[in-house]
Short mmCIF file of all heavy atoms in Angstrom, two decimals:
data_model
loop_
_atom_site.label_atom_id
_atom_site.label_comp_id
_atom_site.label_asym_id
_atom_site.label_seq_id
_atom_site.Cartn_x
_atom_site.Cartn_y
_atom_site.Cartn_z
N ASN A 50 -20.44 -10.32 -28.55
CA ASN A 50 -20.37 -9.64 -29.86
C ASN A 50 -21.26 -8.40 -29.88
O ASN A 50 -20.88 -7.36 -30.41
CB ASN A 50 -20.77 -10.63 -30.96
CG ASN A 50 -20.63 -10.04 -32.36
OD1 ASN A 50 -19.56 -9.74 -32.82
ND2 ASN A 50 -21.77 -9.83 -33.01
N ASP A 57 -17.59 -0.53 -30.60
CA ASP A 57 -16.66 -0.25 -31.70
C ASP A 57 -17.32 0.30 -32.95
O ASP A 57 -16.64 0.58 -33.94
CB ASP A 57 -15.88 -1.54 -32.09
CG ASP A 57 -15.07 -2.08 -30.91
OD1 ASP A 57 -14.90 -1.32 -29.93
OD2 ASP A 57 -14.58 -3.20 -31.01
N THR A 59 -19.03 -1.35 -35.18
CA THR A 59 -18.82 -2.26 -36.32
C THR A 59 -20.09 -3.14 -36.48
O THR A 59 -20.90 -3.29 -35.55
CB THR A 59 -17.61 -3.19 -36.03
OG1 THR A 59 -17.75 -3.80 -34.76
CG2 THR A 59 -16.31 -2.40 -36.07
N PRO A 60 -20.28 -3.71 -37.67
CA PRO A 60 -21.49 -4.47 -37.91
C PRO A 60 -21.65 -5.66 -36.95
O PRO A 60 -20.69 -6.39 -36.72
CB PRO A 60 -21.34 -4.98 -39.33
CG PRO A 60 -20.42 -4.00 -39.98
CD PRO A 60 -19.47 -3.61 -38.89
N ILE A 61 -22.87 -5.82 -36.42
CA ILE A 61 -23.15 -6.98 -35.56
C ILE A 61 -22.91 -8.25 -36.35
O ILE A 61 -22.24 -9.14 -35.92
CB ILE A 61 -24.61 -6.92 -35.07
CG1 ILE A 61 -24.86 -5.68 -34.19
CG2 ILE A 61 -25.00 -8.20 -34.33
CD1 ILE A 61 -26.31 -5.32 -34.03
N GLN A 63 -21.81 -9.73 -40.35
CA GLN A 63 -21.22 -9.34 -41.63
C GLN A 63 -22.25 -9.30 -42.73
O GLN A 63 -22.12 -8.55 -43.69
CB GLN A 63 -20.04 -10.26 -42.01
CG GLN A 63 -20.42 -11.59 -42.62
CD GLN A 63 -21.04 -12.56 -41.61
OE1 GLN A 63 -20.86 -12.39 -40.43
NE2 GLN A 63 -21.83 -13.51 -42.11
N ARG A 101 -22.17 -4.18 -45.77
CA ARG A 101 -21.38 -4.91 -46.75
C ARG A 101 -21.99 -4.68 -48.11
O ARG A 101 -23.21 -4.60 -48.23
CB ARG A 101 -21.47 -6.43 -46.40
CG ARG A 101 -20.61 -7.32 -47.28
CD ARG A 101 -20.73 -8.76 -46.87
NE ARG A 101 -22.00 -9.34 -47.23
CZ ARG A 101 -22.37 -10.60 -46.97
NH1 ARG A 101 -21.55 -11.41 -46.32
NH2 ARG A 101 -23.54 -11.07 -47.32
N ARG A 170 -51.12 -21.94 -36.77
CA ARG A 170 -50.19 -22.53 -35.79
C ARG A 170 -49.39 -23.65 -36.42
O ARG A 170 -48.17 -23.72 -36.26
CB ARG A 170 -50.97 -23.06 -34.60
CG ARG A 170 -50.11 -23.73 -33.49
CD ARG A 170 -50.96 -24.43 -32.43
NE ARG A 170 -51.49 -25.70 -32.90
CZ ARG A 170 -50.86 -26.90 -32.75
NH1 ARG A 170 -49.69 -26.96 -32.18
NH2 ARG A 170 -51.43 -28.02 -33.21
N ARG A 171 -50.08 -24.52 -37.14
CA ARG A 171 -49.43 -25.71 -37.71
C ARG A 171 -48.35 -25.31 -38.74
O ARG A 171 -47.23 -25.86 -38.69
CB ARG A 171 -50.46 -26.61 -38.33
CG ARG A 171 -51.49 -27.15 -37.37
CD ARG A 171 -52.56 -28.00 -38.02
NE ARG A 171 -52.14 -29.38 -38.16
CZ ARG A 171 -52.25 -30.35 -37.25
NH1 ARG A 171 -52.84 -30.07 -36.08
NH2 ARG A 171 -51.83 -31.55 -37.49
N ASN A 178 -39.29 -25.40 -37.88
CA ASN A 178 -38.50 -26.66 -37.99
C ASN A 178 -37.65 -26.65 -39.23
O ASN A 178 -36.48 -27.07 -39.23
CB ASN A 178 -39.42 -27.86 -37.97
CG ASN A 178 -38.65 -29.16 -37.73
OD1 ASN A 178 -37.75 -29.19 -36.89
ND2 ASN A 178 -38.93 -30.20 -38.51
N GLN A 181 -34.19 -24.48 -39.34
CA GLN A 181 -32.98 -24.85 -38.60
C GLN A 181 -31.82 -25.09 -39.55
O GLN A 181 -32.00 -25.63 -40.65
CB GLN A 181 -33.20 -26.05 -37.67
CG GLN A 181 -33.34 -27.38 -38.35
CD GLN A 181 -33.61 -28.45 -37.30
OE1 GLN A 181 -32.81 -28.82 -36.48
NE2 GLN A 181 -34.83 -28.98 -37.36
N GLU A 183 -30.28 -22.79 -41.04
CA GLU A 183 -30.17 -21.69 -42.00
C GLU A 183 -30.31 -20.32 -41.28
O GLU A 183 -29.33 -19.66 -41.06
CB GLU A 183 -31.14 -21.87 -43.15
CG GLU A 183 -30.89 -23.22 -43.85
CD GLU A 183 -31.54 -23.34 -45.21
OE1 GLU A 183 -31.39 -22.41 -46.02
OE2 GLU A 183 -32.21 -24.35 -45.45
N GLN A 235 -40.41 -25.91 -27.79
CA GLN A 235 -40.41 -27.36 -27.46
C GLN A 235 -39.69 -28.17 -28.53
O GLN A 235 -39.41 -29.35 -28.35
CB GLN A 235 -41.84 -27.85 -27.27
CG GLN A 235 -42.52 -27.23 -26.05
CD GLN A 235 -44.01 -27.64 -25.98
OE1 GLN A 235 -44.41 -28.71 -26.38
NE2 GLN A 235 -44.82 -26.74 -25.44
N LEU A 236 -39.43 -27.58 -29.66
CA LEU A 236 -38.76 -28.32 -30.75
C LEU A 236 -37.30 -28.66 -30.39
O LEU A 236 -36.71 -29.53 -31.01
CB LEU A 236 -38.81 -27.53 -32.05
CG LEU A 236 -40.23 -27.28 -32.67
CD1 LEU A 236 -40.13 -26.42 -33.91
CD2 LEU A 236 -40.93 -28.61 -32.97
N MET A 241 -28.20 -21.54 -32.43
CA MET A 241 -27.35 -22.03 -33.53
C MET A 241 -27.69 -23.47 -33.95
O MET A 241 -26.91 -24.12 -34.62
CB MET A 241 -25.86 -22.01 -33.09
CG MET A 241 -25.24 -20.68 -33.04
SD MET A 241 -25.22 -19.97 -34.69
CE MET A 241 -26.03 -18.42 -34.33
N TRP A 273 -31.41 -13.89 -34.70
CA TRP A 273 -31.22 -13.23 -33.42
C TRP A 273 -30.69 -11.81 -33.59
O TRP A 273 -30.96 -10.93 -32.75
CB TRP A 273 -30.30 -14.06 -32.51
CG TRP A 273 -28.84 -14.11 -32.92
CD1 TRP A 273 -28.23 -15.17 -33.52
CD2 TRP A 273 -27.84 -13.11 -32.77
NE1 TRP A 273 -26.90 -14.86 -33.75
CE2 TRP A 273 -26.65 -13.60 -33.28
CE3 TRP A 273 -27.85 -11.81 -32.20
CZ2 TRP A 273 -25.46 -12.84 -33.31
CZ3 TRP A 273 -26.67 -11.06 -32.21
CH2 TRP A 273 -25.50 -11.59 -32.77
N GLY B 75 -18.69 -14.37 -46.04
CA GLY B 75 -18.63 -13.18 -46.90
C GLY B 75 -18.36 -11.99 -46.03
O GLY B 75 -19.28 -11.40 -45.48
N ALA B 90 -15.86 -7.43 -40.16
CA ALA B 90 -16.90 -8.34 -39.66
C ALA B 90 -16.84 -9.58 -40.50
O ALA B 90 -16.79 -9.50 -41.74
CB ALA B 90 -18.28 -7.66 -39.76
N GLY B 92 -18.41 -13.21 -39.74
CA GLY B 92 -19.06 -14.43 -39.22
C GLY B 92 -19.30 -15.40 -40.38
O GLY B 92 -19.11 -15.07 -41.55
N LYS B 118 -21.80 -22.38 -40.82
CA LYS B 118 -22.84 -22.47 -39.80
C LYS B 118 -24.00 -23.32 -40.34
O LYS B 118 -24.23 -23.38 -41.52
CB LYS B 118 -23.34 -21.12 -39.37
CG LYS B 118 -24.21 -20.37 -40.36
CD LYS B 118 -24.86 -19.16 -39.69
CE LYS B 118 -25.50 -18.24 -40.74
NZ LYS B 118 -26.91 -18.59 -41.02
N GLY B 119 -24.70 -23.98 -39.41
CA GLY B 119 -25.89 -24.70 -39.71
C GLY B 119 -25.66 -26.16 -40.11
O GLY B 119 -26.61 -26.92 -40.22
N GLY B 141 -22.91 -17.99 -35.77
CA GLY B 141 -23.50 -17.14 -36.75
C GLY B 141 -23.85 -15.77 -36.15
O GLY B 141 -24.38 -15.69 -35.08
N GLY B 142 -23.52 -14.73 -36.90
CA GLY B 142 -23.85 -13.36 -36.45
C GLY B 142 -22.81 -12.73 -35.57
O GLY B 142 -22.81 -11.52 -35.37
N ALA B 144 -20.04 -11.50 -35.78
CA ALA B 144 -19.12 -11.18 -36.86
C ALA B 144 -17.93 -10.33 -36.46
O ALA B 144 -16.84 -10.55 -36.93
CB ALA B 144 -19.90 -10.45 -37.93
N SER B 145 -18.15 -9.39 -35.56
CA SER B 145 -17.04 -8.51 -35.17
C SER B 145 -16.09 -9.27 -34.24
O SER B 145 -14.87 -9.12 -34.31
CB SER B 145 -17.55 -7.25 -34.52
OG SER B 145 -18.12 -6.43 -35.53
N LEU B 146 -16.67 -10.06 -33.36
CA LEU B 146 -15.86 -10.87 -32.45
C LEU B 146 -14.97 -11.83 -33.22
O LEU B 146 -13.79 -11.97 -32.95
CB LEU B 146 -16.83 -11.64 -31.51
CG LEU B 146 -16.21 -12.30 -30.30
CD1 LEU B 146 -17.13 -12.04 -29.09
CD2 LEU B 146 -16.11 -13.79 -30.50
N ARG B 149 -11.93 -10.39 -35.04
CA ARG B 149 -10.74 -10.12 -34.22
C ARG B 149 -9.73 -11.25 -34.28
O ARG B 149 -8.54 -11.06 -33.99
CB ARG B 149 -11.15 -9.95 -32.76
CG ARG B 149 -11.91 -8.73 -32.51
CD ARG B 149 -11.52 -8.15 -31.20
NE ARG B 149 -12.01 -6.80 -31.13
CZ ARG B 149 -12.00 -6.08 -30.03
NH1 ARG B 149 -11.55 -6.59 -28.89
NH2 ARG B 149 -12.46 -4.85 -30.03
N PRO B 165 -18.11 -10.03 -50.87
CA PRO B 165 -18.53 -11.20 -50.07
C PRO B 165 -18.15 -12.54 -50.68
O PRO B 165 -17.92 -13.49 -49.96
CB PRO B 165 -20.07 -11.07 -50.04
CG PRO B 165 -20.38 -9.66 -50.48
CD PRO B 165 -19.23 -9.25 -51.37
N SER B 197 -36.19 -32.64 -33.25
CA SER B 197 -37.14 -31.55 -33.48
C SER B 197 -38.30 -32.05 -34.36
O SER B 197 -39.45 -31.64 -34.17
CB SER B 197 -36.47 -30.34 -34.10
OG SER B 197 -36.12 -30.52 -35.43
N THR B 198 -37.97 -32.91 -35.29
CA THR B 198 -39.04 -33.39 -36.20
C THR B 198 -39.99 -34.33 -35.47
O THR B 198 -41.19 -34.28 -35.70
CB THR B 198 -38.37 -34.09 -37.42
OG1 THR B 198 -37.50 -33.12 -38.05
CG2 THR B 198 -39.45 -34.53 -38.43
N ARG B 203 -45.43 -34.55 -32.81
CA ARG B 203 -46.25 -34.63 -31.60
C ARG B 203 -47.15 -33.38 -31.48
O ARG B 203 -48.32 -33.51 -31.19
CB ARG B 203 -45.32 -34.71 -30.36
CG ARG B 203 -46.02 -34.83 -29.04
CD ARG B 203 -45.05 -34.86 -27.86
NE ARG B 203 -44.24 -33.65 -27.71
CZ ARG B 203 -44.67 -32.49 -27.18
NH1 ARG B 203 -45.91 -32.42 -26.76
NH2 ARG B 203 -43.87 -31.45 -27.09
N LEU B 204 -46.56 -32.19 -31.78
CA LEU B 204 -47.31 -30.96 -31.66
C LEU B 204 -48.39 -30.81 -32.72
O LEU B 204 -49.35 -30.05 -32.54
CB LEU B 204 -46.37 -29.76 -31.72
CG LEU B 204 -45.45 -29.59 -30.50
CD1 LEU B 204 -44.27 -28.63 -30.82
CD2 LEU B 204 -46.23 -29.02 -29.32
N LEU B 205 -48.26 -31.55 -33.80
CA LEU B 205 -49.22 -31.44 -34.91
C LEU B 205 -50.21 -32.60 -34.91
O LEU B 205 -50.99 -32.76 -35.82
CB LEU B 205 -48.49 -31.37 -36.26
CG LEU B 205 -47.58 -30.16 -36.50
CD1 LEU B 205 -47.17 -30.09 -37.95
CD2 LEU B 205 -48.27 -28.86 -36.11
#
Side-chain angles (χ1 to χ4, degrees):
Chain A
N50 183 66
D57 298 349
T59 51
I61 296 164
Q63 79 290 338
R101 184 179 73 181
R170 179 189 76 91
R171 298 177 83 87
N178 194 42
Q181 73 183 291
E183 302 196 48
Q235 292 174 32
L236 296 176
M241 285 298 127
W273 70 257
Chain B
K118 73 169 168 89
S145 287
L146 193 136
R149 290 218 167 170
S197 74
T198 303
R203 181 182 64 77
L204 289 163
L205 298 190

